[in-house]
Amino acid sequence: MRDQVSDVVCSNKPFIAGRRHREYKYIGKKRTLIHEIDDTTDLADLIAQDLRDNKRVAIGMEAPMWFPTQRQIRFNDEGSQNAHWWNPAASAATISAIGIGVNLFSILRNFLLEHKIEPTTNLDDWFSSNKFEIFLFEGFINGPKYKLESKQWMNKFNKSIHDQKPPDEHIWDAFLVATAFWEFFMQRQQLNSSNTQKNTQKVIVHSISYNDAVFSHWHNILTKNNILLNPVVHSDCLVLSLTK
């Protein structure tokens, strides 16, 4: 998700750079790849350009990006919706996210090292330090209540994103994650400024944080690419979701 997520929310088309999709079809008895899209390089180029323009960048994955060292739920929503980080669907999403993350940061690595930019999972550091210009977080979009919430955004597009066919079938969840972060970001900005104007959007954002020993997949992604992360130890990242 880029710094200009407001343009995404307010425009008539979704921001779709960074898609990864493979579509297979059985021809005879053989599973054959018939369609593939991977424009992660385009996304990396856009992120680098934003950083060159002195804009901060937030990158979120809609997948469990950390887990406790003991098998327990991380926050109430995860348990109440039977969306535990260890369930097959969630763990599969994490595996995909790790691959996408390693690919993205392998492209960005030389640029980040050259400009001495260190990603962080610490929101305060991202807001206050010029050193940490990339903020890494997790989005949690699961269950029917999020799909119902999405109806209020349908007038932002020429047609429902649910009507789009692969490879764009997951764009809606990504859009909701970007929306969640934007709502959270704007609320934070308003709290830190003299502007008392209330947020007019119908969605609110609630953040979740966990204070205990964890394994961080953001840490693993960046370590694989020899990129420094603040903090350098395994720690949780912020989890953002939409709620009524």
Side-chain angles (χ1 to χ4, degrees):
M1 187 198 69
R2 297 175 62 213
D3 194 63
Q4 293 95 328
V5 68
S6 58
D7 295 335
V8 179
V9 172
C10 299
S11 68
N12 290 322
K13 60 182 179 179
F15 175 68
I16 56 177
R19 292 172 299 171
R20 287 173 61 101
H21 174 79
R22 290 180 179 177
E23 189 172 353
Y24 294 88
K25 184 177 181 179
Y26 278 94
I27 300 177
K29 294 184 178 181
K30 185 177 180 181
R31 187 169 180 258
T32 306
L33 177 65
I34 61 171
H35 188 73
E36 181 174 15
I37 282 183
D38 184 353
D39 52 8
T40 309
T41 301
D42 294 338
L43 178 60
D45 289 343
L46 291 168
I47 290 172
Q49 186 56 57
D50 280 350
L51 294 170
R52 288 189 191 96
D53 293 339
N54 296 316
K55 295 175 181 176
R56 297 178 187 275
V57 174
I59 301 175
M61 292 282 193
E62 203 268 311
M65 294 304 292
W66 57 273
F67 60 86
T69 52
Q70 298 185 14
R71 185 161 165 157
Q72 61 192 69
I73 64 170
R74 302 177 301 161
F75 46 87
N76 290 336
D77 255 2
E78 185 180 58
S80 63
Q81 298 188 53
N82 197 31
H84 310 99
W85 55 267
W86 62 81
N87 281 359
S91 57
T94 294
I95 295 301
S96 295
I98 291 172
I100 293 169
V102 169
N103 186 21
L104 177 63
F105 278 96
S106 68
I107 299 170
L108 287 169
R109 179 181 182 275
N110 290 339
F111 176 85
L112 298 183
L113 294 180
E114 178 184 350
H115 292 82
K116 299 181 179 179
I117 295 173
E118 297 179 23
T120 182
T121 56
N122 187 307
L123 186 67
D124 291 330
D125 285 341
W126 185 67
F127 266 100
S128 61
S129 172
N130 291 329
K131 183 179 181 181
F132 307 108
E133 297 178 10
I134 299 178
F135 176 61
L136 307 173
F137 71 99
E138 173 188 328
F140 179 78
I141 304 296
N142 182 74
K145 75 174 185 177
Y146 297 108
K147 307 305 180 185
L148 294 173
E149 283 287 336
S150 69
K151 289 181 179 179
Q152 66 184 284
W153 297 102
M154 290 308 179
N155 63 344
K156 303 293 184 182
F157 303 95
N158 294 329
K159 64 177 180 177
S160 165
I161 295 184
H162 288 300
D163 293 336
Q164 298 191 36
K165 303 300 181 183
D168 297 337
E169 59 184 356
H170 298 299
I171 288 178
W172 185 247
D173 285 349
F175 172 76
L176 290 177
V177 171
T179 300
F181 179 81
W182 185 251
E183 291 288 322
F184 178 79
F185 177 81
M186 292 303 295
Q187 291 173 11
R188 169 92 180 213
Q189 288 291 85
Q190 289 165 11
L191 289 174
N192 291 343
S193 70
S194 58
N195 183 2
T196 58
Q197 181 180 357
K198 292 184 178 180
N199 196 316
T200 58
Q201 304 295 354
K202 294 181 180 178
V203 294
I204 62 172
V205 178
H206 87 118
S207 58
I208 309 156
S209 189
Y210 183 92
N211 295 311
D212 204 346
V214 304
F215 287 109
S216 166
H217 301 302
W218 283 122
H219 182 277
N220 294 330
I221 287 168
L222 296 178
T223 300
K224 177 64 177 177
N225 286 298
N226 295 315
I227 299 172
L228 291 177
L229 171 70
N230 179 56
V232 294
V233 297
H234 281 271
S235 65
D236 68 328
C237 65
L238 205 64
V239 181
L240 299 177
S241 59
L242 299 179
T243 186
K244 293 184 178 179

